[in-house]
Amino acid sequence: MADRISVLPDEIICHILSFLPTKESVATSVLSKRWNPFWRSVPTLRFFENTSPFVRSVGAFLRSRNLHQPIKTFSLGCTSFRRGPNSVNKWISAALQCGGVEHLDVWFLYPTKLSSPFLTHRTLVVLKLTGVHITAFSSVDLPSLKILELSGVILEESGYLAKLLSGCPLLEDLVANSVSFDDSPSVAEFKSVPKLVKADISKLILFAAVTNVKFLQIHWRDVMDPGRNPSFKDLALVFPNLIHIKFYLCYAEDWPKIVEVLEHCPKLQTLVIDDYGFTEADEGGGGGGKWPYPQSVPESISLQLKTCRVNDYEGSNGLFQFARYILGNARFLQSMTIRTPSDTNPHAKLEMLKKLSLCPRCSATCKLSLE
């Protein structure tokens, strides 16, 4: 059988190898003399290990690769790395010094302190940080960054996050979940990010930064901060471009506060409720009370809403009352989709559908479906 890969140009072979974990890319060097040097010029480096040789293998690879070839993607992750941060910072700095890095992805199970040379790396387009502790930094200059994902990130001050966002003028996609601070955050520190289109957030203070988005996901229980129970009305914010909003982990008692948010979304078309908080409230769990039927109906629901979806529906009173509220008040609703867990009994599904079908519908064209 002909070896079709080996006859390809060197550049194409290096591109193919860039889709492999770096450890496997290096292993191809034993195939032939021609293949021996390819791994040194692969523009995408992916390191993921959970064993002690991890430190030695990453350092040795970076010292051995062709330093004249730029690195486009540098991905680094480990589930068991508990040593000091010096090695990690050296690896990231070495990758950045090659020039041209566009995608940086750093992931650790245990919080690892990082210095911040990447915050002034002007070619970065994608920056993903998970399980890291970013130490103090003085400036941010990321003029090319379009995607920023922060998960389990620790910052000494909330002002650092505000500074980070302000240094990304072209940012389009933001994920900021489980971001923590050592100080008391202030909403006033945050300004709207001008080019932002999508956001997935879990902090109330970030509402001020995401007012321009079209697509918004909110992890509501984290946003609410039970200790302070803030009100969205106090922020006096409007989401003039928002057409799609998704709420995660809502308790039934939170619905009036969610309505406060929806009152400031004049172009809303799609509303999604995800997860199981309503059920806990019905059963005397975290929410602990009846579903509080809102006294008002935002125009975003009555005049704009086209699509509504409820995920993980199990027939609880809270989610049923929510669906009834939407069906009874959304005049131009086109579809109400109810999704049940995969292990739901078929008979129980039928009973749920019957009950929902009896709810009054404000829209004559609304299609109710149970998936």
Side-chain angles (χ1 to χ4, degrees), residues 240-261:
N241 305 315
L242 190 66
I243 60 174
H244 184 289
I245 192 167
K246 182 174 184 177
F247 293 96
Y248 286 98
L249 293 171
C250 310
Y251 289 133
E253 65 184 13
D254 291 334
W255 183 244
K257 297 182 180 66
I258 292 174
V259 169
E260 292 180 3
V261 177

Side-chain angles (χ1 to χ4, degrees), residues 55-72:
V55 176
R56 294 193 297 273
S57 65
V58 176
F61 180 89
L62 289 173
R63 288 191 296 271
S64 302
R65 74 178 307 275
N66 185 349
L67 299 180
H68 297 291
Q69 292 294 328
I71 297 173
K72 295 295 184 181

Side-chain angles (χ1 to χ4, degrees), residues 108-143:
F108 285 98
L109 182 61
Y110 300 97
T112 301
K113 282 191 175 183
L114 293 185
S115 56
S116 50
F118 52 85
L119 294 182
T120 55
H121 197 71
R122 298 177 61 83
T123 61
L124 272 182
V125 178
V126 178
L127 176 60
K128 299 181 180 182
L129 303 174
T130 301
V132 301
H133 184 176
I134 302 178
T135 55
F137 53 86
S138 58
S139 63
V140 177
D141 186 18
L142 297 170

Side-chain angles (χ1 to χ4, degrees), residues 252-271:
E253 65 184 13
D254 291 334
W255 183 244
K257 297 182 180 66
I258 292 174
V259 169
E260 292 180 3
V261 177
L262 299 180
E263 287 174 347
H264 296 80
C265 306
K267 294 183 180 179
L268 186 68
Q269 296 181 23
T270 300
L271 170 62

Side-chain angles (χ1 to χ4, degrees), residues 225-349:
D225 185 359
R228 292 189 292 172
N229 203 31
S231 172
F232 178 79
K233 284 185 177 180
D234 297 336
L235 301 182
L237 298 174
V238 177
F239 298 91
N241 305 315
L242 190 66
I243 60 174
H244 184 289
I245 192 167
K246 182 174 184 177
F247 293 96
Y248 286 98
L249 293 171
C250 310
Y251 289 133
E253 65 184 13
D254 291 334
W255 183 244
K257 297 182 180 66
I258 292 174
V259 169
E260 292 180 3
V261 177
L262 299 180
E263 287 174 347
H264 296 80
C265 306
K267 294 183 180 179
L268 186 68
Q269 296 181 23
T270 300
L271 170 62
V272 181
I273 297 292
D274 201 313
D275 247 321
Y276 15 73
F278 282 96
T279 302
E280 292 186 19
D282 297 334
E283 296 175 353
K290 294 182 178 180
W291 194 78
Y293 203 87
Q295 298 301 310
S296 63
V297 180
E299 289 188 0
S300 60
I301 291 178
S302 63
L303 299 179
Q304 300 297 328
L305 194 65
K306 302 290 193 304
T307 304
C308 185
R309 188 168 72 248
V310 180
N311 297 329
D312 292 303
Y313 185 86
E314 297 184 84
S316 68
N317 181 61
L319 279 180
F320 170 73
Q321 293 294 342
F322 163 75
R324 182 170 177 267
Y325 173 78
I326 297 297
L327 289 168
N329 292 291
R331 301 179 192 176
F332 300 98
L333 191 67
Q334 297 173 0
S335 66
M336 167 67 84
T337 303
I338 308 295
R339 293 181 176 175
T340 62
S342 58
D343 59 351
T344 303
N345 182 282
H347 176 73
K349 283 187 178 181

